[in-house]
Amino acid sequence: MASVYEFDPFTGNIPATKVEITVSCRNLLDKDTFSKSDPSEYYFFQTEVIDNTLNPDFVRKFILDYFFEEKQNLRFDFRLEKPLGGIPGKKCGTIILSAEELGNCRDSATMQFCANKLDKKDFFGKSDPFMVFYRSNEDGTFTICHKTEVVKNTLNPVWQSFTIPVRALCNGDYDRTIKVEVYDWDRDGSHDFIGEFTTSYRELARGQSQFNVYEVSCLQTPQAIPSSLCKHKQGSVTLLSFSVESEFTFLDYIKGNPSQSTSLHYMNPYQMNAYAMALKAVGEIIQDYDSDKMFPALGFGAKLPPDGRVSHEFPLNGNIENPYCNGIEGILEAYHQSLKTVQLYGPTNFAPVVNHVARYAAAVQDGSQYFVLLIITDGVISDMSQTKEAIVNGAKLPMSIIIVGVGQAEFDAMVELDGDDIRISSRGKLAERDIVQFVPFRDYMDRTGNHVLSMARLAKDVLAEIPDQFISYMKSRGIKPNPAKKSWPVTVLSSFWGR
């Protein structure tokens, strides 16, 4: 058995293992008068219906998360065209479950086959051939993984192309045996065995070639067929086409994988991303007003190792006891390191980080310190009402909030938080003063690609309101400058990074 998955910041895997369950049944109770039963089975998902058989091998699988430390009860219900009833206590058949831990392969293969000169099985016609694919298991048994459609009345069928996950075909083991059986379809479910051949994913990946023309043989038959009726060669099957591509999940498109160039967090080795440029532009100016240049840097909206829990307030340097970073360069280093260990994830809540800074500011209201919170975000916000309340409460404290929006999203919510036109309010209470300044980073991008000029213009506008906000707090509290000081009171810059 493979080891339990570690937390993966790019896939969001938590410490669990995925298990594929295959369901088969034998000797089900026959509930149809003129034919056999047509069973299907339920457990959160529904299998396909297999016509006219009391011994179904279901192709559709169940993928479950297996947790070693938890007891996980499974229940399987069966439905036929008529209820699977009978006398209480009477045996109605046997269910066979096989389970295998799945690999983390996310590729899917698309392939198409044709056959030539298959054996004739129908008395009044030719054959109605279809193929069944089986993946070999670690114990030497085989598990059904795909069944093609039936092509009627031909010995030279061309089946439609189909797509199958590579892990369903071979569980990521390219050399694992794949068995393919060819049958002649019969209406009553007693399909005639034509023959079989074996291959592997590695062989199939060669594509259309002489290596992927297979003789169909019935030397080893799944049924007791008299040797007099079984010829050695039953025709041939040819691979017409083969291609493979990675399957992307919904989260791949929304979470902003930093390793992909489409992400706003993309770590380009040759230039800074928008988040880094915004921090550097604002931070390099405002850091000169902080005496020790040690800044707490926190992130929000991510899954954290080792258990994948979602956090809206976590230290970028991974140190809960000491989230401080040495200067702007220290924050940038912590930011880049955090992108390698966490998975960007929603929802995006601002209130926790605003309240975090407010707790610090509430403890020092004598004018000796003033706190500036820099939020760099893509504009998505999931807790607007809670954030408004946090800002209204923070307006009474020695703090300001700078929001820099990156990317091409609409920033209507950020403009509302800014409060330049309409003072922000919550629960009918207006903010005591305006403490939020918002700017969209895209408005400051120089068309010539001069990032130095862009950062200078951004810093100028972002910091334009800070002096007035600072003075408005001091005046409201009647705090006068200390003649002994030659600079502003100590300013703490807290930098937060959103997804």
Side-chain angles (χ1 to χ4, degrees):
M1 178 175 175
S3 60
V4 174
Y5 294 158
E6 298 293 335
F7 175 76
D8 184 337
F10 294 151
T11 65
N13 284 335
I14 60 175
T17 188
K18 287 193 177 297
V19 175
E20 178 188 81
I21 296 179
T22 300
V23 182
S24 299
C25 301
R26 295 295 180 265
N27 304 314
L28 291 179
L29 191 64
D30 191 354
K31 299 299 294 183
D32 289 349
T33 305
F34 298 105
S35 65
K36 298 182 177 65
S37 296
D38 308 326
S40 66
E41 170 273 335
Y42 293 76
Y43 170 73
F44 296 117
F45 307 99
Q46 181 178 350
T47 68
E48 73 279 14
V49 175
I50 300 180
D51 294 333
N52 293 326
T53 180
L54 303 179
N55 302 288
D57 294 315
F58 296 102
V59 175
R60 196 171 299 167
K61 317 293 184 184
F62 300 131
I63 309 297
L64 304 177
D65 285 324
Y66 170 71
F67 300 90
F68 174 79
E69 70 279 7
E70 295 182 11
K71 179 180 180 181
Q72 296 171 263
N73 295 317
L74 307 182
R75 171 177 169 172
F76 295 86
D77 293 334
F78 289 83
R79 299 289 186 268
L80 308 176
E81 287 188 347
K82 297 180 180 179
L84 189 59
I87 302 173
K90 181 180 179 181
K91 184 176 180 180
C92 296
T94 302
I95 178 172
I96 302 171
L97 303 180
S98 61
E100 182 175 2
E101 183 177 4
L102 287 178
N104 205 25
C105 178
R106 293 171 61 185
D107 292 342
S108 286
T110 300
M111 61 192 82
Q112 184 178 21
F113 292 87
C114 70
N116 186 43
K117 297 181 179 179
L118 293 178
D119 192 33
K120 179 179 177 296
K121 294 294 185 181
D122 291 344
F123 185 76
F124 293 108
K126 297 179 181 179
S127 288
D128 305 321
F130 67 94
M131 294 194 298
V132 183
F133 290 72
Y134 297 87
R135 178 186 73 220
S136 61
N137 302 317
E138 295 175 347
D139 60 0
T141 61
F142 287 89
T143 298
I144 187 172
C145 59
H146 181 74
K147 186 183 295 183
T148 69
E149 79 281 7
V150 175
V151 181
K152 294 291 189 70
N153 197 32
T154 179
L155 303 180
N156 303 293
V158 178
W159 289 283
Q160 296 178 10
S161 62
F162 63 91
T163 300
I164 183 172
V166 172
R167 69 181 187 182
L169 194 63
C170 64
N171 204 15
D173 181 356
Y174 293 173
D175 296 309
R176 183 180 291 204
T177 299
I178 299 170
K179 182 174 70 171
V180 183
E181 295 178 347
V182 185
Y183 288 89
D184 167 48
W185 177 84
D186 288 329
R187 187 179 301 275
D188 62 2
S190 58
H191 311 307
D192 300 317
F193 179 73
I194 295 177
E196 69 179 27
F197 63 91
T198 60
T199 183
S200 69
Y201 178 85
R202 193 177 301 279
E203 290 294 324
L204 294 173
R206 293 184 178 188
Q208 186 180 27
S209 69
Q210 60 181 356
F211 301 105
N212 280 316
V213 179
Y214 302 94
E215 288 187 350
V216 179
S217 170
C218 70
L219 283 181
Q220 296 181 0
T221 64
Q223 304 156 357
I225 297 179
S227 58
S228 59
L229 300 179
C230 180
K231 296 176 291 185
H232 172 47
K233 295 181 179 179
Q234 304 288 306
S236 64
V237 171
T238 301
L239 176 67
L240 293 178
S241 64
F242 182 92
S243 62
V244 63
E245 63 180 15
S246 294
E247 289 288 326
F248 298 108
T249 66
F250 173 68
L251 287 179
D252 287 327
Y253 290 95
I254 66 169
K255 71 187 180 186
N257 189 329
S259 65
Q260 297 175 355
S261 59
T262 54
S263 171
L264 294 171
H265 290 278
Y266 177 56
M267 294 179 285
N268 190 323
Y270 303 107
Q271 69 180 39
M272 292 184 293
N273 62 30
Y275 282 86
M277 282 194 285
L279 172 62
K280 195 172 181 66
V282 177
E284 285 190 341
I285 293 178
I286 204 170
Q287 72 173 345
D288 291 333
Y289 297 95
D290 191 290
S291 59
D292 62 4
K293 294 181 174 54
M294 296 295 293
F295 308 115
L298 306 181
F300 59 94
K303 283 185 175 182
L304 308 185
D307 57 358
R309 66 182 178 86
V310 177
S311 174
H312 303 289
E313 185 182 343
F314 62 92
L316 292 185
N317 64 6
N319 190 337
I320 298 177
E321 300 299 326
N322 183 17
Y324 287 82
C325 299
N326 188 2
I328 299 303
E329 293 303 321
I331 297 177
L332 286 172
E333 181 180 355
Y335 163 59
H336 290 135
Q337 285 298 120
S338 71
L339 290 178
K340 300 175 183 178
T341 58
V342 306
Q343 180 207 355
L344 308 177
Y345 204 82
T348 304
N349 296 340
F350 281 24
V353 296
V354 175
N355 289 328
H356 178 96
V357 175
R359 287 193 295 271
Y360 281 91
V364 188
Q365 300 188 49
D366 59 0
S368 63
Q369 294 190 41
Y370 192 86
F371 297 78
V372 178
L373 166 61
L374 171 62
I375 298 179
I376 306 176
T377 177
D378 62 3
V380 176
I381 181 170
S382 307
D383 63 340
M384 189 66 171
S385 60
Q386 293 90 336
T387 299
K388 283 183 176 181
E389 184 174 6
I391 292 173
V392 169
N393 293 333
K396 299 179 293 185
L397 303 172
M399 63 179 289
S400 290
I401 302 172
I402 298 171
I403 303 177
V404 179
V406 297
Q408 300 303 315
E410 294 296 328
F411 292 112
D412 294 346
M414 302 299 105
V415 172
E416 184 177 350
L417 294 179
D418 191 322
D420 282 343
D421 298 326
I422 301 176
R423 181 70 61 86
I424 192 172
S425 64
S426 175
R427 301 178 185 270
K429 182 171 65 174
L430 285 174
E432 186 175 302
R433 58 194 182 93
D434 178 17
I435 64 170
V436 178
Q437 167 73 341
F438 165 73
V439 294
F441 185 72
R442 64 188 176 214
D443 291 354
Y444 297 85
M445 295 299 294
D446 186 75
R447 295 180 180 178
T448 65
N450 188 334
H451 296 310
V452 175
L453 181 59
S454 298
M455 293 164 63
R457 293 174 56 225
L458 173 68
K460 178 181 177 182
D461 283 3
V462 163
L463 300 174
E465 295 186 9
I466 295 296
D468 287 341
Q469 292 175 2
F470 172 83
I471 292 173
S472 70
Y473 174 78
M474 297 301 176
K475 281 187 174 181
S476 68
R477 298 298 182 269
I479 300 173
K480 297 180 179 181
N482 187 338
K485 290 184 178 287
K486 296 184 179 180
S487 62
W488 283 8
V490 177
T491 302
V492 176
L493 168 65
S494 296
S495 181
F496 296 83
W497 301 83
R499 64 181 177 88

